Amino acid sequence: MADAKRSRTTPRRRLLRRISSPTPTPRTTPAPNIPWWATLFTDAGRPIVAILVMIMCAPGEHHLGVLAGWDTRLAWGMASVLAAYAGIAAVVASRRPAGAPGKTSAVIGAWLALGAAMAAQPVSHLFVTGHWSATPHAPAWLVITVSCVPPLVLGHLLHLAATPAVTPSASVDAPADAPVVDRVAATVAPVPAVPPVPEQAPAPQLPAPEPEQAPAIVYRDLRCATIRPLYNGGTRPGTAAMRDALIAAGHGRVGDSTIRGQLRAEVEEHEPHLAAYPPALHAPRTG
């Protein structure tokens, strides 16, 4: 009888041992061993190639600047303009996250800078090798195109600098690839019975805690505090209403560009939902 009982309980014990045994950790694939000279060649080769490319492209861009009418010394700025434009636009396009303001503009600018740098070389070489002639003067289309490059580059770089880079907020939810931890239900010990307690007077109710108030907004320009109450009606105030409020508060007459681009922009920067308000209707002027 004892042998038969032992033979029946053995499979059950084996099953319990398998369930309670720790799960083996998966083996990770070791990283490939890259030779040191390959890493050094990659790290040191990129800046060297970048410098060589700028040196090789500079004469062609300088030549086009001279053909467009710039002085020989001043025309070297064309090479610096295109090199800086390509580098800045490429860095901004790479660092800004998808959907951020200025991302699309930076990508377009990077491609335009690359296209301008690429086009400068064959166009210059066509003139140098004699396929095209700049005698007695350079073609009008070449002069106009090359002359427009510096102001266009400056305008786009200022646009990228003025566009704020929005950093995506970290999500509160757990990531999708977070490891799932199996929780083992612990055995709860029975709670001993508590003898009945005689009725007591109800405990005094404490007052409900007051809701926490949002911290007061500190504006960089104190005139923004005069404009903020105009949003309380549920509409976005216009330039004339903000100007009247500033004059009534003793701030004097303020320019329209300062009101819209500085004061109202700072108010809506602290409270972005205000920018979605519908515009306020113009109040009729009384004689």
Side-chain angles (χ1 to χ4, degrees), residues 123-218:
V123 171
S124 175
H125 293 166
L126 287 173
F127 281 101
V128 173
T129 56
H131 290 80
W132 289 354
S133 175
T135 304
H137 50 72
W141 62 267
L142 177 67
V143 176
I144 296 174
T145 303
V146 177
S147 300
C148 291
V149 169
L152 289 176
V153 170
L154 177 62
H156 189 237
L157 292 181
L158 292 178
H159 166 70
L160 294 179
T163 305
V166 179
T167 304
S169 59
S171 177
V172 180
D173 300 335
D177 56 350
V180 179
V181 180
D182 295 334
R183 298 182 180 273
V184 180
T187 58
V188 181
V191 181
V194 180
V197 181
E199 295 185 359
Q200 298 178 357
Q205 296 183 355
L206 299 177
E210 298 181 358
E212 296 182 359
Q213 298 182 354
I217 299 175
V218 179

Side-chain angles (χ1 to χ4, degrees), residues 53-142:
V53 168
M54 288 189 291
I55 293 175
M56 294 176 65
C57 294
E61 296 158 355
H62 172 265
H63 181 218
L64 292 183
V66 174
L67 293 180
W70 275 295
D71 181 71
T72 305
R73 293 173 296 178
L74 191 59
W76 285 110
M78 183 64 66
S80 303
V81 166
L82 291 179
Y85 183 39
I88 295 174
V91 171
V92 174
S94 302
R95 289 186 175 180
R96 294 202 173 178
K103 172 71 174 181
T104 304
S105 178
V107 173
I108 295 175
W111 282 107
L112 288 177
L114 180 60
M118 292 174 60
Q121 308 311 312
V123 171
S124 175
H125 293 166
L126 287 173
F127 281 101
V128 173
T129 56
H131 290 80
W132 289 354
S133 175
T135 304
H137 50 72
W141 62 267
L142 177 67

